[in-house]
Amino acid sequence: MSLDRSIRWRGLDPATLEHCHVISTPRDTRIRGTVITPAYGLFYRIKLDDSEHVRTVRLERTDGATLELFSDGAGNWSDDRAEPLPALRGCIDIDIWPTPLTNSLPLWRCQWQIGAAQRFAMAWIDADAMTVKRSEQVYTQLDATQFRFQSADFERVLDVDADRLVVTYPGLFERAEER
């Protein structure tokens, strides 16, 4: 993947505004984003290796709360004190609330066939609580621009662009002006 692009989303519930920049080269992918929520501002940084596996993620809120995680790219995670996080074993991707950017991570990394569901163990990060837990998720490509997303009893059909970045996430996010 080769990408150098800024994206903006508007959160619908709750009302948020996000600006994100993705730079991808044959060597790695670096993502930086800022989300303004009603309760706090959030800065996040994600680094992927050349196989599009998450290697580092750092979240910092305007109230000073931080969360930093490290992965070996094979599903083994540790925190910022190098303490292993066995509950996340096998998770390759992350899913950060409140941003639709992280829905793109498995879409970028995997080969897709229309109608074939793929299951993922995700490290789900709740920036409201600054916690992380395992989340089982399923994505199914419906056509060139739509993927069904399922997690527990939650389901949405995501519209994506040619770079597999979310355009609409019904009820939660929609693309705003790009620069």
Side-chain angles (χ1 to χ4, degrees):
M1 178 174 79
S2 179
L3 197 58
D4 185 350
R5 185 170 169 195
S6 288
I7 311 97
R8 290 185 182 176
W9 289 280
R10 188 175 19 262
L12 306 174
D13 185 23
T16 63
L17 183 60
E18 176 175 0
H19 182 92
C20 171
H21 193 86
V22 179
I23 297 175
S24 183
T25 67
R27 187 185 49 158
D28 65 12
T29 299
R30 295 170 189 254
I31 304 163
R32 290 177 174 263
T34 301
V35 183
I36 301 167
T37 78
Y40 57 83
L42 174 72
F43 174 74
Y44 66 87
R45 184 177 68 224
I46 304 166
K47 182 178 178 189
L48 310 176
D49 64 19
D50 62 349
S51 298
E52 303 299 332
H53 294 162
V54 175
R55 299 307 296 268
T56 62
V57 59
R58 179 175 171 81
L59 283 73
E60 184 174 350
R61 291 193 326 208
T62 50
D63 64 7
T66 62
L67 178 68
E68 193 165 16
L69 303 172
F70 302 89
S71 174
D72 64 0
N76 298 299
W77 292 82
S78 61
D79 63 17
D80 60 344
R81 297 170 315 217
E83 293 292 328
L85 300 170
L88 302 181
R89 186 166 291 122
C91 297
I92 302 297
D93 301 300
I94 59 170
D95 187 357
I96 299 173
W97 170 259
T99 175
L101 177 276
T102 49
N103 291 95
S104 295
L105 301 181
L107 304 185
W108 290 339
R109 188 171 51 76
C110 296
Q111 297 297 314
W112 293 93
Q113 293 180 3
I114 303 288
Q118 293 194 47
R119 299 182 184 290
F120 301 92
M122 308 290 275
W124 189 80
I125 300 170
D126 180 349
D128 293 343
M130 294 301 267
T131 58
V132 61
K133 68 179 184 179
R134 181 184 198 87
S135 172
E136 304 299 325
Q137 300 181 357
V138 178
Y139 286 84
T140 306
Q141 185 174 16
L142 303 177
D143 60 34
T145 63
Q146 293 189 316
F147 283 81
R148 179 181 297 114
F149 167 76
Q150 298 167 285
S151 180
D153 60 352
F154 181 84
E155 180 176 326
R156 291 289 191 280
V157 173
L158 309 179
D159 292 312
V160 300
D161 63 19
D163 292 322
R164 293 195 170 151
L165 291 159
V166 171
V167 175
T168 58
Y169 190 133
L172 291 177
F173 303 99
E174 61 187 25
R175 186 77 61 84
E177 173 187 346
E178 282 192 57
R179 298 249 179 232

